[in-house]
Amino acid sequence: MAGAKLDPIDRHILAELQADGRMTNVELAKRVGISAPPCLRRVRTLEEQGYIRGYHAEIDSRELGFEVQVFAMVRLNSQAESDLTAFEERCRSWPLVRECHMLNGEIDFILKCVAPDLSSFQSFLTGDLLKAPNVANVKTSLVIRGSKDEPGVPFEVLEERIARQA
Amino acid sequence: MAGAKLDPIDRHILAELQADGRMTNVELAKRVGISAPPCLRRVRTLEEQGYIRGYHAEIDSRELGFEVQVFAMVRLNSQAESDLTAFEERCRSWPLVRECHMLNGEIDFILKCVAPDLSSFQSFLTGDLLKAPNVANVKTSLVIRGSKDEPGVPFEVLEERIARQA
DNA sequence: GCTGAAATCGCCTAACG
DNA sequence: CGTTAGGCGATTTCAGC
């Protein structure tokens, strides 16, 4: 099972840093029950091994004037690998597209977009996304309100699974 | 226009902390071109005013054994406000549901879920989500691969807008 | 191997101009 | 906003388990 190479302290460190990524190392060490130096070494190792991909401030995009959030469901004409990667590359170049996921089923890609207002989004939609090569059609849905937003790992589930198999 | 209360240094601080939330204050101060104490004061103010909602380590969920990501499109029978909030509350209680957004159009909610494997997700789907009161139907789409994942604010767009209106 | 203790170094964070 | 300065955290070194 993946993640089993980590001992309980490592998992505790990850959970704490996911909840508060700016915690000082001594505070982190106190919480996970070891002293500061080994705690710091563990954090560095977790970073090097790719368990921690980075640290980010969570910014309120609405406060900064991005009032609109939209999900766009995209269907392509061709699903050849080169066409898929070409579309992915385009998504990476569009700043209003914050996430892009390739899906199975009828929809090829789902995009999470932000925009200052509806008209900005519309001009992106008609001027960029719908004009991109190979795009067959796009269905968009406005986010009325956010109900839950906790990207990351549910450590409760992880611990439960590990406890059960132990 | 929102976000206009912030001067260029504040926006620069936000952009830097979004990119690296664990940067030291002196490093941050150096990058935005002021000395450390006023930089720290600005960060505290941005936190208090809600521009910064928190700091989080970005954890590789696949490395921790969550191999499956799924989008679930949910339609409810009733869209009365009390029924909507009841469903939102349920989503908050399900750890496998990491995001839940209320949408306009045919689909009432879109859920981003993670799970250790397909069978765990299936048991959540049939045992919890589909059995929840008021759920009319659920369409799920597996994430084949992630193409872009940069939650947060596109500061390039923000700066461009501010420059244009100046 | 791992941890923890001590010491150094650098950062944080007041107080003041 | 900058400078100063005292205290605290980060990080290395080294010894012990």
Side-chain angles (χ1 to χ4, degrees), chain B residues 6-56:
Chain B
L6 299 179
D7 68 13
I9 295 180
D10 285 327
R11 298 195 302 271
H12 195 171
I13 287 175
L14 292 176
E16 292 289 345
L17 285 179
Q18 177 172 278
D20 178 5
R22 220 173 152 74
M23 194 183 307
T24 67
N25 181 59
V26 299
E27 173 66 19
L28 179 61
K30 195 193 309 174
R31 292 196 188 198
V32 305
I34 59 179
S35 64
C39 184
L40 185 62
R41 285 193 292 263
R42 281 168 180 263
V43 171
R44 297 282 179 259
T45 304
L46 291 167
E47 289 168 355
E48 282 161 18
Q49 291 180 154
Y51 289 98
I52 299 175
R53 279 209 287 254
Y55 303 90
H56 307 284

Side-chain angles (χ1 to χ4, degrees), chain A residues 117-139:
Chain A
D117 48 49
L118 264 184
S119 76
S120 311
F121 179 75
Q122 289 294 348
S123 69
F124 160 72
L125 179 62
T126 58
D128 296 316
L129 184 51
L130 285 167
K131 277 188 181 147
N134 194 30
V135 168
N137 76 70
V138 178
K139 285 197 179 178

Side-chain angles (χ1 to χ4, degrees), chain A residues 6 16 19 39-40 44 63 74 113 117 121 124 127 135 139 152 158 165-166:
Chain A
L6 300 179
E16 292 289 345
C39 184
L40 185 62
R44 297 283 180 257
E63 285 282 320
V74 178
C113 308
D117 48 49
F121 179 75
F124 160 72
V135 168
K139 285 197 179 178
L158 180 60
Q165 76 159 17

Side-chain angles (χ1 to χ4, degrees), chain B residues 84-96:
Chain B
L84 295 173
T85 58
F87 181 74
E88 290 175 297
E89 205 45 65
R90 238 175 220 96
C91 285
R92 277 183 218 111
S93 78
W94 286 323
L96 294 186

Side-chain angles (χ1 to χ4, degrees), chain A residues 9-10 14 19 42 64 73 86 119:
Chain A
I9 295 180
D10 285 327
L14 292 176
R42 280 167 181 265
L64 281 183
M73 283 77 139
S119 76

Side-chain angles (χ1 to χ4, degrees), chain B residues 75-163:
Chain B
R75 298 168 69 164
L76 301 183
N77 293 307
S78 155
Q79 284 80 27
E81 179 59 27
S82 63
D83 293 317
L84 295 173
T85 58
F87 181 74
E88 290 175 297
E89 205 45 65
R90 238 175 220 96
C91 285
R92 277 183 218 111
S93 78
W94 286 323
L96 294 186
V97 176
R98 306 315 295 168
E99 296 180 31
C100 171
H101 309 270
M102 189 187 300
L103 301 182
N104 76 341
E106 318 163 18
I107 299 166
D108 293 308
F109 288 94
I110 187 163
L111 276 50
K112 192 203 265 185
C113 308
V114 298
D117 48 50
L118 263 184
S119 76
S120 312
F121 178 76
Q122 288 295 347
S123 69
F124 161 72
L125 178 62
T126 59
D128 296 316
L129 184 51
L130 285 168
K131 276 188 182 148
N134 195 30
V135 168
N137 75 69
V138 178
K139 283 196 182 181
T140 60
S141 276
L142 257 173
V143 174
I144 306 274
R145 67 181 190 228
S147 309
K148 178 175 185 175
D149 193 16
E150 304 184 8
V153 177
F155 281 98
E156 9 167 8
V157 177
L158 181 60
E159 293 302 332
E160 200 187 307
R161 279 171 63 82
I162 288 171

